[in-house]
Amino acid sequence: MTQFLPVRPTVDECYVDRRLYPHGVAFMDGQYLPMSEAKISVLDWGFLHSDATYDTVHVWNGKFFRLDLHLERFFRGIELLRMRLPYDREKIVSILTTCVGLSGHKSAYVEMICTRGSSPTFSRDPRHAENRFIAFAVPFGSVANKEQLERGLHVAISETVRIPPKSVDPEIKNYHWLDLVKGLFDAYEMGAETALILDTNGHIAEGPGFNVFLVKDGSLRTPAFGVLPGITRRTVFDLCAEVGLSATAADISRAEIKRADEVFITSTAGGIMPVTRIDGAAIANGRVGSVTRRLMDLYWQKHDEPLWSTAVIYP
Ligand code: PLP
């Protein structure tokens, strides 16, 4: 016999465990909401097909860091995915600022998302979908915790291959993460804390939420192929140009990364973060290297640079 669910949910079904949600403020469908109330339809293509693009920018000491670059990448992704937003750049800046301002966070992780949305007729044609914009601000989070930042992360190289750039353009920041999540589980099984996965040619690509650099004989290298052009990665290039360090984007083999003098990862979620062990073996002497430390210091100093930061106005 067919069973029908009650039309009105019970009190228990309405109960939202707020401990599951970080304190923060979201914007969706024209409204600002507490994080626990920001929900999308299960029919949204963003949920059903990962048909979405997004960007994450952070706020540090009350200022956005390199917001212009994040907006540029976000708008480019939207264009490449043939989506359309009802808001221009200025309005998005105002929405992001309001989310952070209302949340009160002085250090925040701020995400802007555009999903394909869904069509009012449940059409299978993506052109019929009404694209949806969502933004939120929650407390700042990092790939590496305090202890890991001090002693360096322990990383494992997984055999998992990152989705090919001909399938999903990595220039479009996306939620195709099944490869990265598989890499993480592989890494945990190998006793490591996070993972690096491979590109389609078997070289090092990137990890769950970060790019990677090696330092060898004073020069830096980061993979060029099949990776998200990270804003923190770009910042490392800018910092290297400023202090006269050589940095290039080119293939890195598994053997090369293990023989490096220093290795670090880069992400908006944590900045520049040292790696001191790969596949259970120490990188050089197993301590955080001097080039990494110097770049980490410069990176955080730059958060007060007027050209690279945008102040949030708190209510
Ligand atoms: N690579 C992937 C797959 C990512 O998801 C991210 C960030 O989320 C990065 C690299 C680092 O990019 P960014 O420095 O812009 O945060």
Side-chain angles (χ1 to χ4, degrees):
M1 202 176 77
T2 314
Q3 284 212 317
F4 293 99
L5 287 170
V7 177
R8 286 167 62 90
T10 63
V11 171
D12 275 354
E13 283 162 349
C14 284
Y15 176 70
V16 174
D17 186 349
R18 283 168 209 278
R19 288 167 306 178
L20 291 174
Y21 295 90
H23 171 74
V25 171
F27 172 89
M28 60 189 302
D29 300 331
Q31 280 186 306
Y32 293 94
L33 305 159
M35 278 312 288
S36 56
E37 287 169 30
K39 296 183 176 152
I40 63 160
S41 161
V42 291
L43 296 181
D44 192 303
W45 284 52
F47 172 70
L48 291 176
H49 307 303
S50 281
D51 190 350
T53 186
Y54 75 110
D55 217 291
T56 307
V57 56
H58 70 224
V59 167
W60 193 250
N61 288 335
K63 292 178 204 142
F64 284 103
F65 186 60
R66 310 207 84 178
L67 179 57
D68 286 351
L69 296 180
H70 288 278
L71 289 168
E72 238 165 68
R73 185 171 65 180
F74 182 55
F75 275 93
R76 175 101 183 107
I78 287 171
E79 188 189 326
L80 290 169
L81 290 177
R82 301 167 200 221
M83 290 177 180
R84 234 177 293 163
L85 274 187
Y87 309 119
D88 62 11
R89 206 175 151 118
E90 209 180 312
K91 177 67 183 170
I92 291 196
V93 172
S94 142
I95 292 170
L96 299 178
T97 307
T98 307
C99 285
V100 180
L102 290 174
S103 79
H105 296 312
K106 295 292 183 298
S107 297
Y109 178 94
V110 185
E111 200 155 317
M112 59 200 103
I113 305 164
C114 186
T115 72
R116 184 72 59 196
S118 50
S119 108
T121 59
F122 199 37
S123 159
R124 300 184 69 83
D125 184 336
R127 292 170 302 182
H128 298 160
E130 289 167 7
N131 304 160
R132 165 173 273 130
F133 175 75
I134 305 165
F136 63 82
V138 290
F140 180 81
S142 171
V143 174
N145 62 31
K146 193 165 176 288
E147 184 206 328
Q148 291 164 338
L149 286 172
E150 275 157 21
R151 57 120 160 112
L153 280 154
H154 299 169
V155 172
I157 302 172
S158 157
E159 294 296 324
T160 309
V161 173
R162 189 81 172 108
I163 193 165
K166 281 192 174 164
S167 304
V168 173
D169 181 351
E171 300 242 341
I172 305 168
K173 192 165 155 71
N174 63 71
Y175 293 123
H176 288 268
W177 265 53
L178 295 189
D179 44 12
L180 294 167
V181 172
K182 179 170 178 297
L184 261 184
F185 278 103
D186 290 345
Y188 297 150
E189 266 162 33
M190 290 188 262
E193 294 159 337
T194 190
L196 282 168
I197 68 170
L198 306 174
D199 69 19
T200 42
N201 302 315
H203 297 123
I204 300 292
E206 59 187 343
F210 53 81
N211 295 111
V212 63
F213 281 78
L214 65 70
V215 185
K216 187 73 183 172
D217 302 327
S219 296
L220 288 86
R221 199 177 346 145
T222 187
F225 173 71
V227 298
L228 174 79
I231 305 299
T232 323
R233 175 181 181 268
R234 151 86 188 265
T235 300
V236 168
F237 278 102
D238 293 342
L239 295 176
C240 285
E242 224 176 274
V243 299
L245 283 167
S246 139
T248 49
D251 289 343
I252 295 178
S253 71
R254 299 157 72 145
E256 280 173 320
I257 201 163
K258 293 185 190 186
R259 283 199 308 261
D261 299 330
E262 299 179 32
V263 175
F264 61 82
I265 60 168
T266 60
S267 172
T268 297
I272 298 171
M273 297 163 276
V275 171
T276 47
R277 291 185 90 78
I278 297 186
D279 289 350
I283 298 299
N285 64 8
R287 298 211 197 95
V288 179
S290 58
V291 175
T292 307
R293 277 198 194 286
R294 184 178 181 201
L295 290 170
M296 284 169 79
D297 289 347
L298 274 174
Y299 174 81
W300 289 106
Q301 280 165 27
K302 284 287 181 184
H303 283 62
D304 285 324
E305 161 88 47
L307 276 178
W308 285 10
S309 55
T310 314
V312 174
I313 297 146
Y314 292 86

